[in-house]
Amino acid sequence: MKRLTLTFWGVRGSIPVPGPTTMRYGGNTACLDLRSEDGDWIIFDAGTGLRVLGESLDLSKKYDINIFISHPHWDHINGIPFFAPIYIPGNRVTFYGPGTNEMTLKEILSGQMQYSYFPVRTVELLAEIKYRQIEQERLELGNFQITTISLNHPVACLGYRVRYDDRLFVYLGDNEPYYNVFKDKDRELQDFVANLNERLIEFVREADALVADAQYLPAEYEAKRGWGHSTTHQVMNLAVKGKVKKLFFFHHEPLRSDDDLDEVVAHYRKKVVERGFPIEIHAAMEGAVFNI
Ligand SMILES: [Zn+2]
Ligand SMILES: [Zn+2]
């Protein structure tokens, strides 16, 4: 079996939260990468964890870097200006991701490097920078076969599924299960919503690892309904229905402390044992490395 390695560089949602209560799981925002033993390498999301990833690289070498952005909210893109390889000639960095109704992917990403926000503009970057705006589609990158899916979030947001050899990895950026916003009992609408949620179960089916937005606890959800994030419970259900093997809670709520996250993981590990579901559960932790 070939080796496929997952590393977390930033695991937090919304905003970086350094401090004594987030030391163990980490305070940087969304960034993870996947490396195969054949040299395939892709990065998902470019939150402040991307800076840490950049620091881990031997910058005397030249890199061909592919970064897949789930969506352009700050916590998923604001590590880019601090990612050292973009300042080094000879590196090639390609950004993949959705545009929005108002802006292209290129406009969005270079927008945060305009003069009023940041001292260096994208045109001044020394690496070769490319943008590839994508939607729901399939693409290949070396030995990685990548499929995307539209998620339910208050801006265009993509989930990514990667097949490598006999392995299947899924990363769901920010996402909330669909529901009937009118809260009526319209049968047609209920079926429509159920079908959309069923699509996601198919997307994650039999994944060896699923990394999914699980920002809220069930008790917090009603006050945050419609904000575009899932609860730990919803993600757990998705993993059970999709027969996922390893589940990683991701995009942790900024207020969630290390001790809270330990408790959440212990709770669900106990539940799956009680119910006989063969799922390995983790809360994503900055710096943690897993073989998929
Ligand atoms: Zn986010
Ligand atoms: Zn978001």
Side-chain angles (χ1 to χ4, degrees):
M1 207 161 76
K2 287 192 168 181
R3 204 170 57 247
L4 182 63
T5 311
L6 164 68
T7 307
F8 291 102
W9 301 96
V11 299
R12 202 57 64 167
S14 310
I15 191 164
V17 280
T21 62
T22 57
M23 295 269 289
R24 280 189 294 117
Y25 284 91
N28 280 300
T29 62
C31 182
L32 51 146
D33 74 358
L34 206 55
R35 296 168 200 240
S36 81
E37 73 168 72
D38 293 313
D40 306 292
W41 176 35
I42 53 179
I43 298 170
F44 294 104
D45 274 332
T48 60
L50 184 67
R51 182 190 62 81
V52 189
L53 192 166
E55 282 181 357
S56 75
L57 301 174
D58 174 357
L59 296 177
S60 64
K61 292 185 183 165
K62 298 296 167 241
Y63 294 96
D64 187 358
I65 300 171
N66 293 287
I67 304 181
F68 286 75
I69 306 284
S70 62
H71 68 302
H73 284 158
W74 282 340
D75 49 328
H76 299 257
I77 63 166
N78 63 12
I80 295 170
F82 301 92
F83 184 49
I86 61 175
Y87 297 98
I88 300 173
N91 286 331
R92 202 161 60 185
V93 183
T94 308
F95 293 101
Y96 299 77
T100 65
N101 290 338
E102 356 170 61
M103 291 164 96
T104 64
L105 176 73
K106 183 178 179 178
E107 287 167 344
I108 294 164
L109 297 185
S110 40
Q112 72 167 344
M113 293 182 80
Q114 281 171 6
Y115 178 73
S116 302
Y117 300 112
F118 196 73
V120 186
R121 295 173 302 154
T122 35
V123 291
E124 293 169 296
L125 296 179
L126 297 175
E128 183 189 342
I129 310 288
K130 287 187 176 164
Y131 302 89
R132 175 148 175 216
Q133 189 165 317
I134 54 174
E135 301 172 355
Q136 284 199 120
E137 59 188 85
R138 283 165 195 270
L139 54 151
E140 275 184 24
L141 208 62
N143 299 298
F144 286 164
Q145 291 165 287
I146 303 163
T147 312
T148 69
I149 189 171
S150 285
L151 299 174
N152 186 32
H153 197 59
V155 72
C157 184
L158 293 175
Y160 294 101
R161 182 174 61 195
V162 181
R163 182 168 287 288
Y164 166 71
D165 197 39
D166 60 350
R167 236 64 48 73
L168 197 59
F169 169 81
V170 179
Y171 169 53
L172 298 183
D174 297 8
N175 177 54
E176 179 172 6
Y178 292 94
Y179 61 95
N180 177 353
V181 290
F182 303 111
K183 293 186 178 162
D184 58 17
K185 296 274 186 273
D186 183 302
R187 192 55 202 277
E188 213 174 308
L189 198 53
Q190 304 285 47
D191 288 349
F192 180 68
V193 166
N195 281 339
L196 287 171
N197 288 325
E198 189 64 35
R199 249 174 90 241
L200 198 60
I201 298 170
E202 287 314 310
F203 191 77
V204 307
R205 191 169 291 288
E206 309 281 347
D208 293 287
L210 167 64
V211 176
D213 166 13
Q215 181 151 353
Y216 304 130
L217 300 180
E220 297 162 343
Y221 182 61
E222 275 316 311
K224 311 279 172 80
R225 189 186 269 274
W227 290 24
H229 299 288
S230 297
T231 67
T232 46
H233 211 73
Q234 288 163 337
V235 164
M236 188 70 234
N237 278 336
L238 176 67
V240 167
K241 288 179 183 159
K243 295 191 163 55
V244 165
K245 298 187 184 76
K246 280 193 184 90
L247 170 64
F248 295 88
F249 294 135
F250 186 72
H251 203 273
H252 308 312
E253 160 66 34
L255 295 171
R256 196 89 59 233
S257 71
D258 290 331
D259 292 347
D260 293 339
L261 283 168
D262 284 345
E263 245 177 67
V264 169
V265 171
H267 170 81
Y268 285 102
R269 282 183 180 162
K270 188 160 161 260
K271 278 270 179 285
V272 293
V273 170
E274 278 169 16
R275 300 194 182 173
F277 299 130
I279 302 183
E280 193 181 309
I281 296 169
H282 301 272
M285 182 184 269
E286 206 171 302
V289 181
F290 292 86
N291 282 324
I292 301 303

